[in-house]
Amino acid sequence: MHRTLLYAKIHNCTLTAANVNYVGSITIDQSLLEAAGIFVHEQVQVVNVANGERFVTYVIPGAANSGVIELNGAAARLGVVGDRLIVMSYAQMTVEEANTHQPRVLFVDEKNRIVEIRG
């Protein structure tokens, strides 16, 4: 049996742009993706702390160390620049793996620079 657990999270990042004319996804600074262990094109759940919206999309990379967090396509209608977001990825694990797993959690400042990593 497999269980679905939180794998990685970018906590309280700031939305820097919203582009409704893009095909769809969320653009995330490549350095944040690498630090969190989130893959390009990976499915993520996004929670907008400002308005309570929750949605699923996939990741595309933004320029490293740019601080970019951009909602694209239809998702761009679910937030405005300055909103705080939580981006989460999940993984399927055996019970044995789940018993020892610790999610990787990135805490970032208002410019989406890493201030702490847990896990």
Side-chain angles (χ1 to χ4, degrees):
M1 174 174 49
H2 284 86
R3 307 292 295 266
T4 303
L5 279 77
L6 177 67
Y7 181 77
K9 176 167 76 165
I10 303 171
H11 187 76
N12 219 23
C13 55
T14 303
L15 183 59
T16 60
N19 180 359
V20 74
N21 294 314
Y22 188 82
V23 176
S25 64
I26 184 171
T27 303
I28 300 176
D29 178 322
Q30 180 67 41
S31 60
L32 295 176
L33 295 176
E34 290 172 5
I38 297 173
F39 292 130
V40 171
H41 303 126
E42 184 170 347
Q43 178 179 301
V44 292
Q45 180 180 35
V46 180
V47 177
N48 186 327
V49 177
N51 63 21
E53 291 286 350
R54 299 174 81 89
F55 55 94
V56 174
T57 190
Y58 65 94
V59 172
I60 60 172
N65 301 310
S66 65
V68 66
I69 302 287
E70 179 176 357
L71 295 180
N72 301 305
R77 301 230 184 256
L78 302 176
V80 297
V81 172
D83 283 356
R84 301 302 284 225
L85 307 178
I86 301 169
V87 178
M88 297 167 284
S89 72
Y90 298 90
Q92 296 284 316
M93 299 178 199
T94 64
V95 172
E96 294 78 18
E97 291 169 322
N99 283 329
T100 59
H101 172 69
Q102 291 296 315
R104 188 125 170 122
V105 180
L106 273 58
F107 294 88
V108 297
D109 65 13
E110 66 281 348
K111 294 188 179 183
N112 297 323
R113 295 176 298 209
I114 299 169
V115 294
E116 182 181 354
I117 300 175
R118 294 184 191 165

